[in-house]
Amino acid sequence: MFFGLTIEKLLLIGVIAALLVGPERLPRYAEGLAKLLGRLREFLRGAKTRVRDEMGEDFDDVDWRRLDPRQYDPRRIIREALLDEAPIKPVSPGAPRPATAALGGVGATGAGVAALAGASDTAAAPASVASAPNATPYDSEAT
């Protein structure tokens, strides 16, 4: 059950509520509860109909179990992401450089990063970063 309530606890709460309400008002409260549950059921049915109308034919094709948030285990997601990565292909000496290196990844030079940053940002980069090979790119706006 939810909120730590078991069947025994719910039954005990019901008996106490029946004693507090009394036998003369109990039928009226039971009728009100039944009407409330009926309206709630009708509201949910209408919401399902509206969603089905909005989504059209694609509503029946949705795999609702796949969208269940209870299935998401961060350890499983990370494990799958690490195992599903495509292996990195070796680059021949005459081939163009990979995009990650050209954008400041591993193996990028500071001069290449400064050239990508543009002429206006070149003056903002310190001389040690612009001249050092395999240096981390410098972003003056980030600090």
Side-chain angles (χ1 to χ4, degrees):
M1 298 298 287
F2 54 116
F3 300 119
L5 295 175
T6 60
I7 298 295
E8 295 85 17
K9 291 178 184 178
L10 288 174
L11 187 61
L12 181 64
I13 290 171
V15 169
I16 292 173
L19 290 174
L20 289 176
V21 169
E24 58 275 349
R25 291 182 288 179
L26 189 60
R28 195 170 355 133
Y29 282 107
E31 183 181 350
L33 181 63
K35 286 181 181 179
L36 176 71
L37 289 176
R39 284 187 297 207
L40 181 65
R41 187 177 300 129
E42 186 61 35
F43 172 75
L44 292 175
R45 195 174 296 132
K48 184 177 180 182
T49 304
R50 285 191 303 269
V51 168
R52 188 177 300 257
D53 291 343
E54 291 288 328
M55 289 185 70
E57 297 173 3
D58 296 335
F59 182 77
D60 295 329
D61 296 337
V62 175
D63 183 15
W64 296 106
R65 286 188 200 157
R66 189 177 57 84
L67 299 175
D68 186 7
R70 294 175 290 183
Q71 73 172 346
Y72 294 115
D73 179 22
R75 295 171 293 195
R76 181 183 58 83
I77 293 170
I78 291 172
R79 187 179 324 113
E80 288 176 0
L82 291 175
L83 293 177
D84 288 346
E85 271 189 30
I88 299 174
K89 297 178 183 177
V91 179
S92 63
R97 295 176 58 175
T100 56
L103 295 176
V106 176
T109 62
V113 172
L116 285 175
S120 62
D121 292 339
T122 308
S128 62
V129 172
S131 63
N134 299 331
T136 305
Y138 179 77
D139 187 7
S140 62
E141 295 178 6
T143 54

